[in-house]
mmCIF file of all heavy atoms in Angstrom:
data_model
loop_
_atom_site.group_PDB
_atom_site.id
_atom_site.type_symbol
_atom_site.label_atom_id
_atom_site.label_comp_id
_atom_site.label_asym_id
_atom_site.label_seq_id
_atom_site.Cartn_x
_atom_site.Cartn_y
_atom_site.Cartn_z
ATOM 1 N N GLU A 217 -28.828 -52.783 28.325
ATOM 2 C CA GLU A 217 -28.288 -51.447 28.138
ATOM 3 C C GLU A 217 -29.179 -50.628 27.221
ATOM 4 O O GLU A 217 -29.758 -51.158 26.279
ATOM 5 C CB GLU A 217 -26.882 -51.541 27.542
ATOM 6 C CG GLU A 217 -26.190 -50.183 27.355
ATOM 7 C CD GLU A 217 -24.804 -50.347 26.759
ATOM 8 O OE1 GLU A 217 -24.269 -51.473 26.818
ATOM 9 O OE2 GLU A 217 -24.258 -49.380 26.224
ATOM 10 N N ASP A 218 -29.342 -49.378 27.501
ATOM 11 C CA ASP A 218 -30.132 -48.464 26.668
ATOM 12 C C ASP A 218 -29.509 -48.391 25.283
ATOM 13 O O ASP A 218 -28.408 -47.899 25.108
ATOM 14 C CB ASP A 218 -30.151 -47.083 27.340
ATOM 15 C CG ASP A 218 -30.943 -46.067 26.521
ATOM 16 O OD1 ASP A 218 -31.374 -46.402 25.409
ATOM 17 O OD2 ASP A 218 -31.098 -44.943 27.030
ATOM 18 N N SER A 219 -30.241 -48.922 24.276
ATOM 19 C CA SER A 219 -29.661 -49.023 22.939
ATOM 20 C C SER A 219 -29.464 -47.677 22.289
ATOM 21 O O SER A 219 -28.719 -47.558 21.323
ATOM 22 C CB SER A 219 -30.565 -49.886 22.053
ATOM 23 O OG SER A 219 -31.840 -49.301 21.957
ATOM 24 N N SER A 220 -30.119 -46.648 22.770
ATOM 25 C CA SER A 220 -29.988 -45.347 22.129
ATOM 26 C C SER A 220 -28.904 -44.489 22.777
ATOM 27 O O SER A 220 -28.676 -43.365 22.371
ATOM 28 C CB SER A 220 -31.329 -44.604 22.193
ATOM 29 O OG SER A 220 -31.681 -44.373 23.533
ATOM 30 N N SER A 221 -28.219 -45.048 23.786
ATOM 31 C CA SER A 221 -27.225 -44.241 24.489
ATOM 32 C C SER A 221 -25.803 -44.487 23.989
ATOM 33 O O SER A 221 -24.872 -43.823 24.409
ATOM 34 C CB SER A 221 -27.287 -44.556 25.989
ATOM 35 O OG SER A 221 -26.919 -45.897 26.226
ATOM 36 N N SER A 222 -25.650 -45.489 23.092
ATOM 37 C CA SER A 222 -24.295 -45.801 22.635
ATOM 38 C C SER A 222 -23.774 -44.701 21.730
ATOM 39 O O SER A 222 -24.519 -44.008 21.056
ATOM 40 C CB SER A 222 -24.316 -47.145 21.885
ATOM 41 O OG SER A 222 -25.174 -47.073 20.783
ATOM 42 N N GLU A 223 -22.461 -44.581 21.707
ATOM 43 C CA GLU A 223 -21.855 -43.569 20.859
ATOM 44 C C GLU A 223 -21.754 -44.119 19.438
ATOM 45 O O GLU A 223 -21.087 -45.098 19.171
ATOM 46 C CB GLU A 223 -20.468 -43.218 21.394
ATOM 47 C CG GLU A 223 -20.528 -42.564 22.780
ATOM 48 C CD GLU A 223 -19.138 -42.204 23.272
ATOM 49 O OE1 GLU A 223 -18.163 -42.408 22.511
ATOM 50 O OE2 GLU A 223 -19.014 -41.733 24.397
ATOM 51 N N THR A 224 -22.438 -43.495 18.505
ATOM 52 C CA THR A 224 -22.439 -43.945 17.122
ATOM 53 C C THR A 224 -22.120 -42.784 16.212
ATOM 54 O O THR A 224 -22.310 -41.624 16.554
ATOM 55 C CB THR A 224 -23.815 -44.509 16.732
ATOM 56 O OG1 THR A 224 -24.772 -43.465 16.858
ATOM 57 C CG2 THR A 224 -24.208 -45.675 17.619
ATOM 58 N N GLU A 225 -21.663 -43.137 15.022
ATOM 59 C CA GLU A 225 -21.395 -42.109 14.031
ATOM 60 C C GLU A 225 -22.716 -41.543 13.548
ATOM 61 O O GLU A 225 -23.652 -42.279 13.249
ATOM 62 C CB GLU A 225 -20.627 -42.724 12.862
ATOM 63 C CG GLU A 225 -20.250 -41.709 11.787
ATOM 64 C CD GLU A 225 -19.461 -42.361 10.687
ATOM 65 O OE1 GLU A 225 -18.912 -43.461 10.942
ATOM 66 O OE2 GLU A 225 -19.380 -41.800 9.596
ATOM 67 N N SER A 226 -22.846 -40.258 13.460
ATOM 68 C CA SER A 226 -24.086 -39.637 13.016
ATOM 69 C C SER A 226 -24.359 -40.004 11.577
ATOM 70 O O SER A 226 -23.453 -40.179 10.770
ATOM 71 C CB SER A 226 -24.001 -38.111 13.144
ATOM 72 O OG SER A 226 -23.802 -37.742 14.476
ATOM 73 N N VAL A 227 -25.649 -40.098 11.241
ATOM 74 C CA VAL A 227 -26.060 -40.377 9.872
ATOM 75 C C VAL A 227 -26.009 -39.083 9.090
ATOM 76 O O VAL A 227 -26.586 -38.077 9.464
ATOM 77 C CB VAL A 227 -27.487 -40.962 9.859
ATOM 78 C CG1 VAL A 227 -27.951 -41.183 8.433
ATOM 79 C CG2 VAL A 227 -27.522 -42.268 10.640
ATOM 80 N N GLU A 228 -25.317 -39.120 7.947
ATOM 81 C CA GLU A 228 -25.206 -37.921 7.125
ATOM 82 C C GLU A 228 -26.513 -37.695 6.379
ATOM 83 O O GLU A 228 -27.091 -38.610 5.808
ATOM 84 C CB GLU A 228 -24.063 -38.093 6.123
ATOM 85 C CG GLU A 228 -23.854 -36.871 5.241
ATOM 86 C CD GLU A 228 -22.758 -37.119 4.224
ATOM 87 O OE1 GLU A 228 -22.029 -38.117 4.375
ATOM 88 O OE2 GLU A 228 -22.649 -36.320 3.292
ATOM 89 N N THR A 229 -27.039 -36.496 6.389
ATOM 90 C CA THR A 229 -28.278 -36.182 5.694
ATOM 91 C C THR A 229 -28.121 -34.862 4.966
ATOM 92 O O THR A 229 -27.249 -34.055 5.270
ATOM 93 C CB THR A 229 -29.453 -36.045 6.672
ATOM 94 O OG1 THR A 229 -29.156 -34.996 7.595
ATOM 95 C CG2 THR A 229 -29.692 -37.326 7.432
ATOM 96 N N THR A 230 -29.014 -34.685 4.000
ATOM 97 C CA THR A 230 -29.112 -33.382 3.357
ATOM 98 C C THR A 230 -30.254 -32.628 3.991
ATOM 99 O O THR A 230 -31.052 -33.191 4.727
ATOM 100 C CB THR A 230 -29.383 -33.550 1.854
ATOM 101 O OG1 THR A 230 -30.683 -34.106 1.685
ATOM 102 C CG2 THR A 230 -28.351 -34.448 1.194
ATOM 103 N N ALA A 231 -30.351 -31.328 3.670
ATOM 104 C CA ALA A 231 -31.439 -30.537 4.251
ATOM 105 C C ALA A 231 -32.791 -31.139 3.919
ATOM 106 O O ALA A 231 -33.704 -31.150 4.736
ATOM 107 C CB ALA A 231 -31.365 -29.099 3.741
ATOM 108 N N ALA A 232 -32.923 -31.667 2.719
ATOM 109 C CA ALA A 232 -34.217 -32.222 2.304
ATOM 110 C C ALA A 232 -34.565 -33.487 3.067
ATOM 111 O O ALA A 232 -35.705 -33.917 3.063
ATOM 112 C CB ALA A 232 -34.197 -32.519 0.815
ATOM 113 N N GLN A 233 -33.548 -34.083 3.730
ATOM 114 C CA GLN A 233 -33.809 -35.350 4.411
ATOM 115 C C GLN A 233 -33.937 -35.199 5.915
ATOM 116 O O GLN A 233 -34.163 -36.174 6.602
ATOM 117 C CB GLN A 233 -32.679 -36.331 4.097
ATOM 118 C CG GLN A 233 -32.613 -36.703 2.616
ATOM 119 C CD GLN A 233 -31.310 -37.357 2.270
ATOM 120 O OE1 GLN A 233 -30.399 -37.411 3.086
ATOM 121 N NE2 GLN A 233 -31.198 -37.848 1.046
ATOM 122 N N VAL A 234 -33.772 -34.005 6.435
ATOM 123 C CA VAL A 234 -33.849 -33.831 7.882
ATOM 124 C C VAL A 234 -35.250 -34.213 8.360
ATOM 125 O O VAL A 234 -36.218 -33.584 7.985
ATOM 126 C CB VAL A 234 -33.527 -32.389 8.296
ATOM 127 C CG1 VAL A 234 -33.789 -32.197 9.777
ATOM 128 C CG2 VAL A 234 -32.082 -32.065 7.985
ATOM 129 N N PRO A 235 -35.370 -35.291 9.137
ATOM 130 C CA PRO A 235 -36.685 -35.772 9.498
ATOM 131 C C PRO A 235 -37.012 -35.586 10.970
ATOM 132 O O PRO A 235 -37.871 -36.263 11.505
ATOM 133 C CB PRO A 235 -36.562 -37.260 9.166
ATOM 134 C CG PRO A 235 -35.140 -37.586 9.519
ATOM 135 C CD PRO A 235 -34.339 -36.307 9.393
ATOM 136 N N GLU A 236 -36.309 -34.736 11.648
ATOM 137 C CA GLU A 236 -36.484 -34.622 13.089
ATOM 138 C C GLU A 236 -37.892 -34.172 13.443
ATOM 139 O O GLU A 236 -38.441 -33.265 12.830
ATOM 140 C CB GLU A 236 -35.466 -33.635 13.664
ATOM 141 C CG GLU A 236 -34.024 -34.060 13.430
ATOM 142 C CD GLU A 236 -33.060 -32.930 13.725
ATOM 143 O OE1 GLU A 236 -33.420 -31.776 13.441
ATOM 144 O OE2 GLU A 236 -31.970 -33.198 14.223
#
Side-chain angles (χ1 to χ4, degrees):
E217 182 180 342
D218 179 354
S219 60
S220 62
S221 64
S222 60
E223 295 181 3
T224 62
E225 182 178 341
S226 299
V227 177
E228 181 183 347
T229 60
T230 67
Q233 296 165 352
V234 173
E236 299 167 324

